[in-house]
Every structure is written in structure tokens, then in C-alpha cells.
């Protein structure tokens, strides 16, 4: 049986208090599509207000630290984001892997810390354009997934997001065949890594998904949803993606 579609918006470093109304509008669209799991990961400064304003709508964090507490200036523990109202966290986004030099081991530890705190985790993996051009995309992503994979994983808290780095924020999207090939490879790798229960782990596609291409991408086998950046900032843009997911 196919998994419920899961559509998550990653607001990155966008959003002030004035944009809380956009989250409320998006939550209303999500409520109108109860067969879809939808959520927004706003900047940390908006998590508490967003989760209070839209109870029942899944608010997440964009990152968390793997340590429970300590001398990590500027970082946030899983307990802190949970207390603010997040129910899950993205970990290992390619922007953090590049900008903050996060390693696969860091990502694994962050996912395990999220689970320990009772949070879900969305682990991001994806190849660069050079790696794809060299024919290495599947190998690179499978190695990244294996090394970032948390101990004790299960589908009730773990989600994988395949995000080709070259497709993020560029308006470029891989072909449907390439997405199908990669998601099938990730599904096979998940079976190797966790055995039983791996079919229920949702694999999201991320990278320039929008209202115009969502239906086609979401129809690809093993694409269980989307991780969406730019097109998640307003209900006008994000709503059609949730609606497209509702058709499955
Ligand atoms: C992302 O950063 O996770 C993302 C998918 O961004 P965009 O949709 O803007 O490509």
C-alpha cells in the first residue's frame, strides 16, 4: 500500500512575525486536505508562535544540535526546539552540509538526538551537479544515506528527503526517470539498512518543486511527498502542492 503523502515547507532564513499569517493560511489549506500530512519548518524564532496559532498543524525545525546541552554557542538542542513546539526537525540539509561543514556522522547523531527527544527527523541527501555528470549520483547518495543513517530507525519517526543539490532553488528539476531511479535506489538501500518496515519510510523529493510540477513528481513510484523551499512561503504557492498531494 502506498504511503500517505507528506509535504513539508522549508522556510530557510525567511519569515518574521508578519509572516505568521501565511503559516495560518497554509495550515488552513492542509486542514482541508486531511489525506495529506503537511507541515512548515519556519525559522526557530517563529516556531512557538506558529505552533500556538495553528494547533494540529505540523511545525518543525530546520536543524538541531546532537548534544543535549553544553558549550555550543548559537546552537539549539532537541529539547529546546521541542519545547518551542516543533514535532520534528530537518537534519543534514545540503545548505548546512556546505555552509556549516556538517558531516554524515553529525547528521546521524542529530537524527538520533531528535528521536531520543521524541521528535521526527527528515534526513536530507543529494548529489552535486558534478557528481551527477560523472555518473556517480546513485553511489554518492547511497553512501551518504548509509553514513547518515540513525541507529534504531523506524518509519514512525524517520523520513528521507532526496534533494539533488543542483535542483535546489534553481528552477531545474531532474527528469521523472532520474527521480524514479534514485528513489528506487534509496528504497533498496533502506531495506538493506533496516530490513522490515523499510517500505513505510517516506522518501520525499526536494528541489524546485512547485504547483506546476508537483503532480508529476508525486506520481513517481517511491516519491512519498515533497520538501519544498521557495514555493512554500505563501499559501498561494504551497497550497497547490498540498492539493496535488491530496489527489493521490
Ligand atoms: C530545499 O531547500 O529544501 C528546497 C527544496 O528548496 P527549493 O524548493 O527552493 O528548491
Amino acid at each position: 500500500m502506498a504511503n500517505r503523502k507528506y509535504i513539508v515547507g522549508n522556510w530557510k532564513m525567511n519569515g518574521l512575525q508578519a509572516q505568521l499569517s501565511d503559516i495560518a493560511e497554509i495550515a488552513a489549506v492542509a486542514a482541508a486536505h486531511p489525506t495529506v500530512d503537511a507541515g512548515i519548518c519556519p525559522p526557530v524564532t517563529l516556531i512557538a508562535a506558529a505552533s500556538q496559532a495553528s494547533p494540529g498543524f505540523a511545525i518543525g525545525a530546520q536543524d538541531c544540535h546532537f548534544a543535549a546541552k553544553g558549550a555550543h554557542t548559537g546552537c539549539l538542542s532537541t529539547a529546546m526546539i521541542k519545547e518551542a513546539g516543533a514535532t520534528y526537525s530537518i537534519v543534514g540539509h545540503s545548505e548546512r552540509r556546505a555552509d556549516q561543514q556538517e558531516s554524515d556522522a553529525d547528521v546521524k547523531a542529530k537524527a538520533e538526538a531528535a528521536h531520543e527527544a521524541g521528535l521526527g527527523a527528515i534526513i536530507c541527501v543529494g548529489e552535486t551537479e558534478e557528481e551527477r555528470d560523472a555518473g556517480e549520483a546513485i553511489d554518492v547518495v547511497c553512501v551518504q544515506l548509509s553514513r547518515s543513517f540513525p541507529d534504531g530507525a523506524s518509519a514512525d519517526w524517520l523520513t528521507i528527503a532526496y534533494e539533488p543539490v543542483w535542483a535546489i532553488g534553481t528552477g531545474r528539476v531532474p527528469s521523472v526517470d532520474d527521480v524514479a531511479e534514485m528513489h528506487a535506489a534509496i528504497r533498496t538501500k533502506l531495506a538493506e539498512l533496516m530490513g522490515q518496515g523499510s517500505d513505510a519510510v517516506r522518501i520525499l523529493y526536494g528541489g524546485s518543486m512547485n504547483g506546476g510540477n508537483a503532480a508529476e513528481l508525486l506520481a513517481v513510484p517511491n516519491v512519498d511527498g515533497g520538501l519544498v523551499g521557495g514555493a512554500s512561503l505563501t499559501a498561494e504557492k504551497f497550497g497547490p502542492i498540498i492539493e496535488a498531494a491530496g489527489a493521490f
Side-chain angles (χ1 to χ4, degrees):
M1 209 184 93
N3 291 318
R4 274 171 71 91
K5 297 290 188 202
Y6 187 20
I7 306 293
V8 180
N10 171 17
W11 274 23
K12 312 189 186 194
M13 201 170 70
N14 296 292
L16 297 169
Q17 297 284 324
Q19 277 71 53
L20 284 169
S21 57
D22 291 306
I23 298 184
E25 284 174 25
I26 290 167
V29 176
H33 294 85
T35 59
V36 179
D37 294 328
I40 290 286
C41 299
V44 156
T45 47
L46 296 184
I47 288 178
S51 59
Q52 279 156 27
S54 304
F57 183 60
I59 299 297
Q62 298 170 18
D63 179 50
C64 59
H65 203 279
F66 47 76
K69 61 180 176 180
H72 303 288
T73 303
C75 299
L76 294 161
S77 72
T78 52
M80 290 169 185
I81 59 172
K82 186 179 180 186
E83 186 177 64
T87 53
Y88 59 101
S89 181
I90 298 169
V91 293
H93 191 282
S94 59
E95 286 156 13
R96 292 198 61 86
R97 288 180 185 264
D99 297 351
Q100 275 77 34
Q101 291 85 44
E102 285 187 6
S103 67
D104 291 327
D106 294 334
V107 176
K108 175 182 187 314
K110 286 176 181 222
E112 288 168 356
H115 175 51
E116 255 171 59
L119 298 167
I122 301 175
I123 295 182
C124 301
V125 291
E127 82 284 358
T128 63
E129 186 158 29
E130 294 69 37
E131 289 162 344
R132 176 151 290 271
D133 289 348
E136 294 165 357
I138 290 190
D139 284 352
V140 164
V141 166
C142 287
V143 168
Q144 218 176 26
L145 180 60
S146 305
R147 293 185 179 158
S148 308
F149 202 73
D151 290 343
S154 73
D156 55 349
W157 64 271
L158 180 69
T159 301
I160 306 300
Y162 166 56
E163 299 206 302
V165 177
W166 51 273
I168 294 179
T170 59
R172 295 168 60 205
V173 175
S175 71
V176 160
D177 287 349
D178 284 346
V179 173
E181 186 184 33
M182 183 62 81
H183 279 240
I186 292 173
R187 181 69 68 208
T188 302
K189 181 53 72 178
L190 285 174
E192 239 175 83
L193 290 166
M194 55 184 289
Q196 250 193 350
S198 59
D199 279 356
V201 174
R202 290 186 286 194
I203 308 172
L204 314 185
Y205 168 77
S208 298
M209 184 182 269
N210 58 44
N213 60 24
E216 189 181 30
L217 288 163
L218 292 170
V220 174
N222 291 302
V223 174
D224 301 309
L227 182 55
V228 184
S232 71
L233 293 172
T234 62
E236 195 188 353
K237 288 184 173 172
F238 200 42
I241 302 176
I242 297 172
E243 278 162 29
F248 289 91

